[in-house]
Amino acid sequence: MKTGIAHLYIPGPTNVPDAVRQAMNVPMQDMRAHDFGAQWIGLFNDLKGLFRTVDGTVMLFPGSGTAAWEAAITNTLNPGDRVLMARHGQFSTLWVEMAERLGLEVDVVDVDWGQGTPATEFAARLAADRKGQIKAVFVTHNETATGVTSDVAAVRRAMTDTHHDALLFVDAVSSLASVDFRMDDWGVDLAVSGSQKGLMCPAGLGVLGVSVKAMAAAQTATMRRAYFEFKDMVNLNAGGYFPYTPPTQLLHGMRCALDRIKAEGLDNVLARHARLAEGVRRAVAAWGLELVAEHPSLYSNTVSAIRVPADVDAREVIRIAYDRYCLSLGSGLSRLAGKVFRIGHLGDLNEGMALTALSVTEMAMAEAGVNIRFGSGVAAAQHWFSTGRMAGAQVNVAAE
Ligand SMILES: Cc1ncc(COP(=O)(O)O)c(C=O)c1O
């Protein structure tokens, strides 16, 4: 029998605010009623604001981020098309696998897990592609497995500098509404996300931003698709309707989540994520541990992947936190299993919650055999949160 609340610090699904949960507690609705559609038009418009796109189109596919990956590819590319992708973590690896399974010819650039999308190498490959055979370039904006955020603007610059006409696909599953994302400014053609991370909703909706250029590509793309057909979706979405039974409770949840983001202000949401992430990073430094991300310019504001000493199994840290303290940490995925645990710090989170995660993590690490001074990471984060919040004012903390 476990008492109290279960603490969730995995990088998605994230904590769903009470208000969002309550907003979903509504009876089923008549999805063909004459007044059903009107309530969802604003939802699409607000999602466009989150993607920071004016002319792009946002679609919601019942499914998860993976469904939106597939929708993006199958609607805009042809079997056998060459595409350029990097592998630098579990999710970018899975996206490559999907592209190959769907019949694309993938030029894969393998980089260290801990690095981001290699814009310079991409530029070289694009420059060498004089016949324009590369039809799409893929970027995993925030590699959730390693806690690395890639520079999408740099990849767009590489495409512009080489006068390359490929479509730009970006996985924003763990960055939308938590890390700065600029679909129009960066010329992103397909921006893929999901409902269960920065959007603070349950899993169940694949969220996709589609540029005008990608919509045009969808007119002629020959890859097979049926359920994910853009045309069916946009025709009905225009009036707030859907081509198949929509998960109305999730839409109500999303409506509430977007209202919360609007009330906080998107820039404030991003700043909060940056502040909380920095607190976690300061704790990691105080513990004397290292992040998987190899350079500060790559640090993710939504998830930190933390290396444990070689003689400790990170799975033990995760198990102890879960079994003894009711707190979930993210695991090390694939080749990082046992070497890394992750703290998800995105979505509906505040300083007190971040400190809870750090405090329990210290106990779990100590019990798993990591040499930890209790309170060291917590104090570093407290110091950052407290002095940061006071913005230059005197904070009465003893020197460490
Ligand atoms: C960066 C990234 N891409 C894709 C996915 C897959 O999304 P989903 O699990 O919603 O299908 C995830 C899931 O965590 C992710 O973090």
Side-chain angles (χ1 to χ4, degrees), residues 11 64-67 69 91 140 142-144 171 173-174 196-197:
S64 67
T66 307
W69 272 356
F91 293 102
T140 299
N142 192 74
E143 177 46 90
T144 321
D171 176 331
V173 172
S174 59
Q196 78 276 20
K197 298 195 191 257

Side-chain angles (χ1 to χ4, degrees), residues 148-193:
V148 163
T149 300
S150 286
D151 188 348
V152 182
V155 174
R156 169 46 73 192
R157 274 198 302 281
M159 297 173 76
T160 306
D161 292 349
T162 53
H163 307 287
H164 209 291
D165 197 32
L167 293 168
L168 178 57
F169 285 59
V170 177
D171 176 331
V173 172
S174 59
S175 60
L176 187 70
S178 34
V179 175
D180 193 23
F181 186 84
R182 299 177 175 270
M183 184 165 164
D184 285 359
D185 289 355
W186 298 341
V188 176
D189 293 302
L190 292 128
V192 179
S193 197

Side-chain angles (χ1 to χ4, degrees), residues 381-394:
Q382 282 174 320
H383 199 274
W384 165 251
F385 292 150
S386 194
T387 56
R389 178 167 293 286
M390 304 299 282
Q394 191 78 29

